[in-house]
Each structure stands twice: as structure tokens, then as C-alpha cells.
Amino acid sequence: METERHQIVTRNLDFFYGDAKVLHAINMNIEALRVTAFIGPSGCGKTTFLRCLNRMNDLIKGARHAGDIHIDGKNIFDRDVDVVSLRKRVGMVFQKSNPFPKSVFDNVAYGPRVNGVTGSRDVERIVERSLNQAALWDEVKDRLHDSALGLSGGQQQRLCIARTLAVDPEIILMDEPASALDPISTAKIEDLIAELKQKYTIIIVTHNMQQAARVSDYTAFFLLGELIEMDETQKMFTNPSKKTTEDYITGRFG
Amino acid sequence: MTAKHYFDVEYEHLRNAIVTMGIEVEQHLFKAIDAHLQYNEALADTVVSYDHVIDKMEMEVDDLCVKLFAKLQPMAFDLRFLASVIKINNDFERIGDQAVSIARHSLYLIPRPRLSVDLTPMTMLAKEMVHHVIDALVNNNIYFAQDVLVMEENMDRFLMEYMGSIEAIMKQDPKNVRRGINLLFITRCLERIGDLTTNVAEDIVFYMNAKDIRHSHPEGEEKPGSAG
């Protein structure tokens, strides 16, 4: 049942790559200021669904959809929706950190500058705030003008989160943000997620069941392009309603 | 489940360990009860001296649970089962302790003349409850477990009845008081065995059905001084 708490509402969303239907009538309500985890085996459609939420799939030739996704009551597929401003509102962090080959400062300043922030003091303020929010400021404040490529993997991922935060999003999509990181960097990203959900709605795709259990409030299980089950995370990992979910999360699937 | 996984072997190993613990405790209790009913001093001594074996088994099962939590990071049924085994293990050990108490109080009574109180009906019920709950554990059978919850009501009734009759005997002659007190302690041990068995039954329902039924059935409500 859709309520006011639901910031994202998906209705009968189908998605196709050419003739191949990869999402089947997805109906999902996502709460604001909560962390929602998508789990499921490779190829189940969770990343495709995630990328639908800020129309990243528009860039793929032959991709098309049917159905609606409403964010704050507005269908993001409507003709009058500006995709650039949609992606500003719905930011994305990828599996592999992808800093630009520029300085730490310029990586974070890039988005605000493109969006028309010109005053250097304003840009500096945004960069510092974003790096602070991403729990990276203390580690990089003395080397803001060094290349971002010199940062560690964990730092680069937090830099990408800072870059996403710099354009003031409302929703942050994370596609396996810690899968390439060591446990210490992973813990920092997870701490960050817990912090960020005070201000942002977060959706995270993860293959790590324990990570989903640790960081998320809600968990959705996808299989073969269908949403099998979605519930509060605590319920999903202690007493899922569907046997398929139970088999998957206990590792007995297949 | 479509295939047997390496971790299923580990859970099976744990299941065997907790069932073995349950059966050992059951034997331990049966010996204690027989020692009391037959006034068999040697058998009572055996029960007292065997307690350390139960204690060791409890530690081994606990250790196995902690290792499996760390190694398998269980979810869903596996998580509920593992969490329940830790509690069941503790309850089994405490049933073992009650068996030792029955044996110790019997060791006081055995050299002395019997009072005219026969605890056989109450001991039969305690045996039946423990046997039934082990059956429920072996077979993952919630119906057996629920039967145990019903039996516990009778156990409470027995306790009240025996308290009345033992009190009357103690009032008849002050010489009966020490033996009467020991008999009262034994009835109290049997009643606690009923409570602990009920706890195990509740844990079986929890890991099977993901339902916490503690305190939700009349006989499961907290009683003053209950085993909790």
C-alpha cells in the first residue's frame, strides 16, 4: 500500500533489452530516508531496476520500458522530465570507484560547477561539506590538489560518494559500493550509509547478505527479473515469507 | 532445498550433538528418579558423580554453536535453529542439575524410614515431558512440543497437591519435618524440570515456525520463582 512515506513508487514496471524482457511487472514502494537493499543472484535484474530509477538505462541502445516510476509523485518517464536534473536528484555510486583523472578538489567541484556554481568560495564550501559528509575530509584536507587517482580504493569510493553529494541529491543509488573493498574500507562505507540516511534515501545493490542485513531497513529479493519478496530487513533475514527467499539467503539456492 | 551443501553437514553435526545431549540428560534424570523411587543409594551416587559429563557436553555444544555462528553467519531457519540450540543446551544442562538435586535429596532420605508419600505420578509426568520434548527435537515436530506445554499445567497441579499432603505429614509429627522438607525439594525439582522442558518446547516452536510463544499460553506465564 502506497503512503506518503513512499518517495519512490513503481507500478508494473517491465524492462526490455531488445526482445529480452528482463524486468517483469515490478511493483515496489520505497520509503524516504531509509536504506533499501536489493539482493538476488547475478542477472536477476536488481541492477537494471536500480538504473531505471534515474533513467541510466536510457543510454543503452534498444532498451525500453513499460509501466511507471513515480518519484515524489511525478512519473520520471513523463516527457517533460529533464533527465539531467533527475540524475542530479537521484545520484549514483558504482561498484568500481571511478574518479576523474583530476585533483581531489576538482572531482568534487565538478558537479557544482557544471550546475552553475561559479563563486570560488561557494565551490570550496560545497567541496568541504561534501568531503566531510563522505567522512573523507580529515584524510584528504592536506592534499586536495593531489590527483584523486593517488587515493586508496576505499578513499576513492568515498570520494565518489562526496562527488554525488556535492550536487545535493535526494536519493542515492549504490551499486555494490563495497564489493571491491577490504573489510576496513567496507566498514567505513557502511558507517557512512548509516550516517547519510539521516538526510538521503539510499538504495543499495549488494551480493553480501550480511551487508544487506547490517545496513538496510528494507530488503527486496529479485529473481529472474521478478520481485519475489520485499519486507523489513529484520523479517527478511530471520523469517522470510517465501521459500525461494529462504533458500537464497541461506545459500541453498540452486 | 535442492542439494546438500557443506554447511548442511555442519548443522547436522550440531543437531546430533544437541540430541545426544538431550538423551544423556534424559537418562541422567531417569536414573535420579529410579534412585529415589527405589531408595537405591548406589544409583543416586552415580547420578551425582555423572554431572560433570553433562556439564562438559554443554560446553562442547556451546562451543560448536559459537564456531558455527562465526563460520556460517546463518540466516532465516539456520539462524533461528542455532540461536535456539544455545538456549535448549542450557535448559538441558539445568534439567541435569535438577536430576542431581533429586539424587542428593534422595541420599538424605534413603537411610531413613519412608514417609507415606509416593511421588511416582509426578515423576512419571516429568519423564514423559522430557521424553516428549526430545521426540519433538529429533523430529522437528511442533505438535509434540505443544503437547508438552499442556502437560506443564498438570505438573503445576501436582506440585500444589504434594505440597498440601507433605505439609499435613509434617504437622503430624516434628520428626517428619526434615524428611518432609527433602520431599518438598524433590517435588520442586520435578516442577522446575517441567518449566525447563516447556522452555525447550517453546524454542522448538520458535525455530520451526518463527513464532515466539513464550508468555502467550497460560501455562507459559511467568510464575514466581519459575525457571524462566
Side-chain angles (χ1 to χ4, degrees):
Chain A
M1 177 81 75
E2 178 189 341
T3 73
E4 282 179 9
R5 295 173 299 142
H6 294 125
Q7 188 172 24
I8 303 173
V9 176
T10 305
R11 286 290 164 261
N12 294 318
L13 185 77
D14 293 333
F15 197 83
F16 303 82
Y17 291 121
D19 293 334
K21 191 176 183 182
V22 295
L23 291 178
H24 303 266
I26 305 294
N27 288 292
M28 184 187 288
N29 300 328
I30 296 175
E31 265 193 50
L33 305 182
R34 293 286 184 275
V35 180
T36 301
F38 293 172
I39 60 169
S42 299
C44 69
K46 57 192 186 300
T47 294
T48 297
F49 182 65
L50 188 79
R51 290 165 59 93
C52 284
L53 299 176
N54 66 351
R55 289 180 56 180
M56 288 286 281
N57 293 324
D58 287 11
L59 307 169
I60 298 168
K61 198 178 169 193
R64 62 194 168 87
H65 78 278
D68 301 329
I69 297 175
H70 291 264
I71 295 183
D72 295 327
K74 172 76 176 164
N75 187 355
I76 65 167
F77 294 117
D78 281 352
R79 281 174 178 273
D80 61 347
V81 168
D82 174 18
V83 177
V84 174
S85 71
L86 171 68
R87 291 184 193 142
K88 182 170 168 289
R89 286 173 60 209
V90 187
M92 191 152 192
V93 177
F94 298 88
Q95 179 177 9
K96 190 172 184 315
S97 56
N98 53 352
F100 305 134
K102 290 169 172 288
S103 70
V104 170
F105 186 94
D106 286 342
N107 261 275
V108 184
Y110 185 86
R113 282 173 178 153
V114 166
N115 282 295
V117 180
T118 50
S120 60
R121 297 286 291 276
D122 289 339
V123 173
E124 280 172 17
R125 199 162 47 239
I126 292 170
V127 169
E128 181 172 346
R129 185 203 70 205
S130 305
L131 286 168
N132 260 316
Q133 280 184 298
L136 190 58
W137 174 253
D138 288 341
E139 292 167 54
V140 299
K141 64 186 177 194
D142 298 324
R143 44 176 174 153
L144 289 174
H145 299 289
D146 292 357
S147 170
L149 302 179
L151 300 178
S152 73
Q155 288 172 327
Q156 286 189 13
Q157 193 59 303
R158 278 180 284 146
L159 179 66
C160 292
I161 292 173
R163 199 171 61 187
T164 302
L165 297 174
V167 294
D168 276 331
E170 295 164 30
I171 298 164
I172 303 172
L173 311 178
M174 296 184 169
D175 190 359
E176 296 188 58
S179 65
L181 302 180
D182 65 67
I184 296 167
S185 301
T186 298
K188 284 183 179 168
I189 298 285
E190 291 179 2
D191 286 345
L192 189 52
I193 290 170
E195 188 68 30
L196 291 176
K197 79 170 184 181
Q198 312 291 326
K199 287 188 176 174
Y200 308 93
T201 303
I202 296 172
I203 303 164
I204 178 172
V205 166
T206 178
H207 277 294
N208 182 330
M209 297 298 111
Q210 279 69 35
Q211 182 170 64
R214 285 192 297 265
V215 305
S216 70
D217 301 294
Y218 294 92
T219 298
F221 171 53
F222 288 80
L223 182 67
L224 298 171
E226 292 183 24
L227 175 62
I228 303 296
E229 185 172 355
M230 180 175 180
D231 212 325
E232 289 180 11
T233 295
Q234 188 189 336
K235 166 85 166 52
M236 285 286 277
F237 287 113
T238 56
N239 182 26
S241 300
K242 304 270 174 69
K243 184 176 183 304
T244 322
T245 313
E246 169 108 18
D247 285 348
Y248 182 72
I249 64 176
T250 59
R252 292 184 172 82
F253 191 80
Chain B
M1 195 167 86
T2 53
K4 189 149 184 141
H5 296 274
Y6 74 96
F7 49 77
D8 286 325
V9 176
E10 308 245 19
Y11 288 126
E12 203 53 43
H13 180 54
L14 177 65
R15 171 175 286 284
N16 289 339
I18 190 67
V19 167
T20 304
M21 169 87 173
I23 291 168
E24 282 294 324
V25 166
E26 183 185 30
Q27 294 305 312
H28 196 52
L29 173 65
F30 284 15
K31 280 182 193 163
I33 288 172
D34 287 348
H36 171 73
L37 295 178
Q38 297 161 12
Y39 267 40
N40 183 332
E41 190 168 354
L43 193 55
D45 278 334
T46 309
V47 172
V48 174
S49 64
Y50 192 72
D51 193 43
H52 71 281
V53 178
I54 304 283
D55 292 347
K56 189 162 173 281
M57 288 178 86
E58 184 202 17
M59 290 195 291
E60 285 169 358
V61 172
D62 265 351
D63 189 46
L64 189 53
C65 288
V66 170
K67 281 179 180 155
L68 291 188
F69 264 120
K71 185 174 168 182
L72 304 179
Q73 302 182 5
M75 293 286 190
F77 178 89
D78 300 335
L79 175 61
R80 300 196 304 270
F81 178 67
L82 213 42
S84 299
V85 167
I86 288 179
K87 293 167 70 184
I88 291 170
N89 186 37
N90 182 244
D91 284 332
F92 277 159
E93 191 275 335
R94 291 167 75 189
I95 292 173
D97 286 346
Q98 297 303 318
V100 172
S101 290
I102 291 170
R104 285 192 198 283
H105 291 298
S106 299
L107 283 171
Y108 174 83
L109 293 169
I110 289 166
R112 294 169 174 81
R114 275 185 192 256
L115 292 176
S116 58
V117 178
D118 181 8
L119 297 184
T120 303
M122 194 175 189
T123 61
M124 294 276 282
L125 182 60
K127 280 174 152 183
E128 194 182 347
M129 286 179 79
V130 172
H131 189 74
H132 222 67
V133 89
I134 290 170
D135 257 3
L137 181 66
V138 170
N139 297 300
N140 280 340
N141 188 323
I142 61 156
Y143 301 105
F144 287 179
Q146 284 164 345
D147 286 347
V148 171
L149 305 180
V150 176
M151 290 181 202
E152 213 253 339
E153 282 185 86
N154 293 331
M155 191 57 102
D156 292 343
R157 205 168 299 127
F158 271 133
L159 182 68
M160 297 311 293
E161 287 171 9
Y162 277 113
M163 278 176 71
S165 54
I166 294 167
E167 186 186 358
I169 289 170
M170 289 195 292
K171 279 179 179 168
Q172 285 170 8
D173 185 344
K175 286 183 196 146
N176 295 341
V177 170
R178 289 287 298 272
R179 281 172 290 160
I181 288 171
N182 276 276
L183 275 174
L184 278 177
F185 274 124
I186 291 174
T187 59
R188 179 74 180 134
C189 289
L190 293 168
E191 191 266 341
R192 283 177 69 85
I193 286 165
D195 286 342
L196 293 163
T197 309
T198 302
N199 292 353
V200 175
E202 289 165 344
D203 284 328
I204 292 169
V205 173
F206 172 71
Y207 78 70
M208 287 303 296
N209 284 6
K211 278 190 188 150
D212 188 345
I213 59 164
R214 290 175 300 171
H215 315 298
S216 62
H217 50 96
E219 60 280 13
E221 283 170 9
E222 198 71 34
K223 295 181 289 290
S226 78

